Amino acid sequence: MRDDHMSTGSIQSVLKALQMLDLFAIAPGWNMTDISKELNYPTSTTHRLLLTLEEAGYIHRDIQSKMYYLTIKPYLIGSKTEIVNMLEKLALASIRELAQNLNESVNVSIALGLNAVTVLKADAERQFSAVPHVGDKRQLHATSVGKCLLAYNSNGCYDHLMKSNELLKSYTPNTIIEKKTIEKMVEIIRYQGFATDHEEVEVGLTCIGAPIFDQLGNCIAAVSVSMPTFRITDKEAVISQVIKTAGKISSKFKF
């Protein structure tokens, strides 16, 4: 009987933890009090489950705001979701072509919380170790893909960033972390149709990105090329090719 009881108790704990994870599909950040109220869990139960999920690597707690957010782990588990599968099907050939034309690495990223997460990558013949790999994440405000995602509020990421009390990470002296500057920046990106990251994540690395839209006009992802700054000889030509590639991928979502 004791084994049955322990098994039932364990199942209930798992179900409660999964219900807690479901909340992050409603809003990207939660504090313990709101979680407890939303799920009608005792504070002690909520605290215990949050500690368990944090220890397992599914959520993290922002020290300053005391809000909980998903980590990259749930994404990695569900990386074969419909949108990622669609991007792999419709974008892979185009980013491989771009990587070949420029002989530089190209990636496609989506918004997850305050981060841009790489979901596809096409390597150049010449390697450069600073470029992201599939599953890597960088904060939105610092990357060219992230700026594109912010500019078109992909998955509500711009609203989330502007409401968040979480400090924005400064990767290099060039990283823009002031929200008023970011507001102006996204207006420019919407006007020109592309974004740049000039050594804002990695000194010596420049990235140029453009948004990808679905059939309804929603920005679902962004594509970018990453290259050492010293290798850029014709920036306008690179921008043109990146925008063209993003447009080609977007057009495939219309059929």
Side-chain angles (χ1 to χ4, degrees):
M1 292 293 294
R2 186 179 178 184
D3 288 342
D4 291 342
H5 175 71
M6 290 177 64
S7 177
T8 302
S10 298
I11 292 171
Q12 289 301 315
S13 294
V14 171
L15 288 173
K16 287 181 178 180
L18 291 173
Q19 288 173 341
M20 188 173 286
L21 287 175
D22 284 341
L23 292 179
F24 293 92
I26 301 172
W30 292 80
N31 61 41
M32 187 173 68
T33 301
D34 289 341
I35 291 174
S36 183
K37 288 180 179 178
E38 183 73 19
L39 297 176
N40 198 25
Y41 292 169
T43 302
S44 58
T45 300
T46 303
H47 183 251
R48 174 172 53 81
L49 291 172
L50 285 170
L51 287 177
T52 300
L53 290 171
E54 188 173 18
E55 185 177 351
Y58 287 91
I59 61 173
H60 75 93
R61 181 175 180 265
D62 178 63
I63 297 175
Q64 291 199 341
S65 67
K66 298 181 180 179
M67 299 281 282
Y68 289 89
Y69 299 93
L70 288 179
T71 65
I72 191 66
K73 191 170 184 178
Y75 159 74
L76 292 175
I77 293 174
S79 62
K80 292 301 179 183
T81 55
E82 182 179 358
I83 184 61
V84 177
N85 283 334
M86 288 296 291
L87 284 167
E88 187 171 1
K89 179 181 177 182
L90 301 178
L92 195 54
S94 295
I95 67 170
R96 283 175 174 168
E97 182 182 3
L98 181 61
Q100 184 176 20
N101 290 343
L102 297 176
N103 199 12
E104 302 289 356
S105 294
V106 178
N107 73 83
V108 173
S109 299
I110 62 173
L112 184 65
L114 293 177
N115 296 294
V117 181
T118 303
V119 295
L120 289 179
K121 183 185 175 187
D123 290 316
E125 291 183 7
R126 52 186 177 189
Q127 294 296 310
F128 189 69
S129 59
V131 299
H133 302 284
V134 172
D136 285 356
K137 64 176 182 177
R138 301 285 190 276
Q139 289 194 4
L140 293 161
H141 65 283
T143 68
S144 63
V145 283
K147 292 175 184 180
C148 290
L149 296 168
L150 285 171
Y152 296 94
N153 201 24
S154 181
N155 202 25
C157 65
Y158 179 77
D159 293 338
H160 178 199
L161 185 143
M162 288 301 164
K163 293 176 183 177
S164 173
N165 293 321
E166 187 171 347
L167 291 177
L168 300 181
K169 184 174 180 178
S170 181
Y171 293 90
T172 75
N174 289 350
T175 310
I176 299 170
I177 58 173
E178 298 81 13
K179 289 188 177 180
K180 287 186 177 180
T181 305
I182 292 173
E183 283 185 277
K184 296 177 182 178
M185 176 187 73
V186 298
E187 290 179 6
I188 294 172
I189 293 168
R190 284 194 291 265
Y191 174 77
Q192 64 188 13
F194 69 92
T196 58
D197 151 21
H198 181 67
E199 303 188 0
E200 292 174 53
V201 172
E202 182 95 18
V203 173
L205 181 70
T206 293
C207 303
I208 298 169
I212 297 171
F213 301 96
D214 65 11
Q215 67 273 22
L216 299 177
N218 299 311
C219 177
I220 53 171
V223 58
S224 76
V225 60
S226 306
M227 61 183 70
T229 303
F230 72 86
R231 280 212 294 254
I232 301 175
T233 56
D234 189 345
K235 186 176 180 180
E236 292 304 316
V238 175
I239 290 171
S240 177
Q241 289 197 54
V242 173
I243 292 175
K244 182 179 178 181
T245 298
K248 186 186 298 184
I249 297 170
S250 297
S251 67
K252 293 179 181 179
F253 278 89
K254 297 178 182 179
F255 299 99

